Amino acid sequence: ASFPRVGAVVARQQLAETVARIPLLERPLVVHADGGVGKTVFMNSVAASLAPTHEVVLFDCFGMGQYRAPGDARHLPRRGLVHIANDLACRGLCDPLLPTTDNGDDIIRAFRVRLNQAAETVRRARSDRQLVLLLDAIDNADEHARERREDSFPRLLLESIGLGGPIPGVQIVVSARSHRRHSATGGVACEELALSTFTPAETAEFLRPRVKKLTE
């Protein structure tokens, strides 16, 4: 992950409602807005808010532009899914996942097994605790994959959930630009949250520590 440093973060008015909504999801949730509205900061705020009560993984599909760098390939299933599975394995929640194949279908099947293991392990500690996967900027992963005629792991994962069924105890939240969200999700039925631009009150809160002698 290479998330930008943004200084003091404004607690968006949509945050509390979204955090309460995620554990109750019956389908993946797509957070969408135009570029520059604050999707990445919002996803980080969601992760921080859920972490005390749920097991959270936040994956950065953009990486400050590094997703396009030769050798990065974080959009590929053998990179992204293997990374997430082994992150969970390092927390003691599931078996490791070795990248022994480039076949997306095989990796997805193995990844779903790891998610099941992790969700069951999480529930042993507390029955209402869930595993939450937050995938930021999946439209960048999809766009790059299409240019290279490769698979995007977020789209494959969402298609697997949409066609193969949800995994008990696992919630998936993704973010994308509004006009690219349907392509990035592969048209899978998802719940949606349109992230609003800053309200006047949020704008004032954002500017107050950054602008001297702030006026109305």
Side-chain angles (χ1 to χ4, degrees):
S2 300
F3 293 115
R5 295 181 180 179
V6 296
V9 175
V10 174
R12 302 298 305 276
Q13 292 182 4
Q14 292 173 286
L15 180 61
E17 178 185 350
T18 304
V19 168
R21 176 182 178 183
I22 288 173
L24 306 176
L25 291 173
E26 296 183 356
R27 295 182 295 185
L29 174 66
V30 181
V31 178
H32 66 91
D34 291 335
V37 171
K39 297 182 296 297
T40 293
V41 176
F42 187 77
M43 291 285 278
N44 274 271
S45 296
V46 169
S49 298
L50 286 170
T53 51
H54 298 278
E55 195 72 34
V56 178
V57 176
L58 174 58
F59 188 92
D60 178 12
C61 290
F62 184 71
M64 296 282 282
Q66 286 299 305
Y67 76 102
R68 301 187 70 91
D72 187 273
R74 66 183 65 201
H75 65 283
L76 293 176
R78 63 182 171 85
R79 289 292 182 90
L81 295 180
V82 169
H83 175 88
I84 293 171
N86 287 330
D87 184 349
L88 295 171
C90 286
R91 304 181 195 186
L93 300 176
C94 66
D95 295 328
L97 181 58
L98 302 180
T100 56
T101 177
D102 287 336
N103 185 286
D105 291 337
D106 291 340
I107 297 174
I108 282 286
R109 280 194 294 270
F111 184 72
R112 286 182 65 106
V113 170
R114 301 311 189 276
L115 288 186
N116 267 305
Q117 290 178 334
E120 290 175 0
T121 305
V122 165
R123 284 197 299 269
R124 289 193 198 111
R126 204 175 70 199
S127 60
D128 61 345
R129 191 172 176 87
Q130 298 189 60
L131 172 61
V132 182
L133 300 186
L134 299 164
L135 310 179
D136 186 46
I138 68 166
D139 52 323
N140 292 99
D142 179 68
E143 183 182 54
H144 191 48
R146 289 178 184 276
E147 290 175 358
R148 297 171 62 92
R149 297 182 180 179
E150 295 171 335
D151 289 326
S152 161
F153 87 81
R155 182 172 53 80
L156 289 182
L157 177 59
L158 290 171
E159 289 175 345
S160 172
I161 297 297
L163 299 175
I167 299 171
V170 177
Q171 302 291 2
I172 298 178
V173 182
V174 303
S175 72
R177 295 193 184 200
S178 296
H179 68 283
R180 299 198 298 204
R181 69 188 188 278
H182 296 303
S183 172
T185 60
V188 172
C190 297
E191 297 187 31
E192 294 192 353
L193 169 66
L195 185 62
S196 302
T197 54
F198 273 24
T199 65
E202 289 171 338
T203 303
E205 184 180 348
F206 178 82
L207 291 175
R208 196 167 289 116
R210 294 172 170 86
V211 178
K212 293 181 179 179
K213 299 181 179 179
L214 182 66
T215 66
E216 286 300 320

